[in-house]
Amino acid sequence: MKVLAITGYKPFELGLFDKKHPGIVYIKKAIKNKLLALLDDGLEWVIISGQLGVELWAAEVTLDLQMVHPELKLAVITPFLDQEEKWNESNKELYEFILSQADYTNSITNKKYENPTQFRLKNTFFIDKSDGLLIVYDDENEGSPKFIYNQAKRESEQSAYELMVINGYDLQVIAEEEQFNGNDF
């Protein structure tokens, strides 16, 4: 796998309204564990659309990993221009920092938001341009990631496309391991 798309829930879908919530640490740890395993197998690119939550957390993990794995690259390919224009200042600052550190940035439609079709185009683009999808998602709590999850699942059933899911159980295991190891955040 050379190119991995990463997505998942937005913070409000997880009930995470505080940027210091320990759940974020567990999500980042789960993503890091997957990326480290994939790096050993030749992973070169992580692509995200830059949405709040799992995607920006994955970008932070990717940037941290670049310190030890400079061969790993980050691409932020937004579904439309100025997706952050209605975000609060704190979220905009993080987003702009991620964009400034990314190895590649672009927009799929090169226009501002017009309709949900732009999200469908983004999903199709990400699946077409990646070898796999890592998604923080749980069937029992669908939310916004369900559309790309369902599309990636169909693709994985018809081809060698790899769908990797981090679900609530996986995060619980990481939380318990961290607490057992005395890393209680």
Side-chain angles (χ1 to χ4, degrees):
M1 180 173 312
K2 302 286 184 203
V3 180
L4 176 69
I6 302 179
T7 194
Y9 296 109
K10 297 176 178 88
F12 70 87
E13 292 176 302
L14 295 168
L16 301 177
F17 301 101
D18 179 357
K19 292 181 184 205
K20 298 192 185 317
H21 191 285
I24 296 169
V25 174
Y26 304 141
I27 291 168
K28 286 177 152 184
K29 178 103 172 150
I31 292 168
K32 181 179 180 180
N33 291 345
K34 293 282 189 185
L35 289 179
L36 286 170
L38 293 169
L39 276 164
D40 289 341
D41 292 335
L43 179 66
E44 296 175 4
W45 282 92
V46 167
I47 61 173
I48 63 166
S49 69
Q51 74 181 23
L52 292 171
V54 169
E55 290 192 18
L56 290 185
W57 301 330
E60 289 177 308
V61 170
T62 302
L63 294 174
D64 286 346
L65 286 173
Q66 284 179 336
M67 303 291 189
V68 179
H69 298 276
E71 72 279 9
L72 182 62
K73 305 288 186 240
L74 174 66
V76 182
I77 305 170
T78 64
F80 47 85
L81 299 176
D82 300 327
Q83 72 175 342
E84 79 286 2
E85 71 182 343
K86 294 182 181 170
W87 297 356
N88 68 38
E89 284 308 309
S90 174
N91 289 335
K92 283 182 183 179
E93 283 177 21
L94 174 60
Y95 179 74
E96 289 165 9
F97 172 75
I98 298 295
L99 288 179
S100 75
Q101 299 300 305
D103 299 285
Y104 179 81
T105 60
N106 207 339
S107 183
I108 293 169
T109 61
N110 285 318
K111 49 184 136 181
K112 288 188 170 197
Y113 179 77
E114 293 176 346
N115 60 57
T117 300
Q118 290 166 295
F119 291 109
R120 287 192 290 278
L121 288 171
K122 183 259 310 176
N123 292 348
T124 299
F125 178 89
F126 272 46
I127 290 170
D128 288 349
K129 299 298 182 190
S130 66
D131 303 309
L133 175 70
L134 175 59
I135 185 168
V136 176
Y137 181 73
D138 202 316
D139 287 343
E140 295 176 16
N141 183 21
E142 289 183 335
S144 64
K146 79 175 180 182
F147 301 105
I148 194 167
Y149 170 79
N150 288 336
Q151 191 170 347
K153 188 174 180 186
R154 284 191 301 275
E155 184 66 26
S156 72
E157 290 166 353
Q158 300 169 4
S159 71
Y161 193 79
E162 192 166 346
L163 174 59
M164 295 166 279
V165 179
I166 297 170
N167 60 30
Y169 175 77
D170 299 323
L171 296 174
Q172 182 64 36
V173 168
I174 287 173
E176 290 171 3
E177 286 174 357
E178 291 297 311
Q179 290 167 357
F180 179 77
N181 292 329
N183 298 331
D184 191 13
F185 303 95

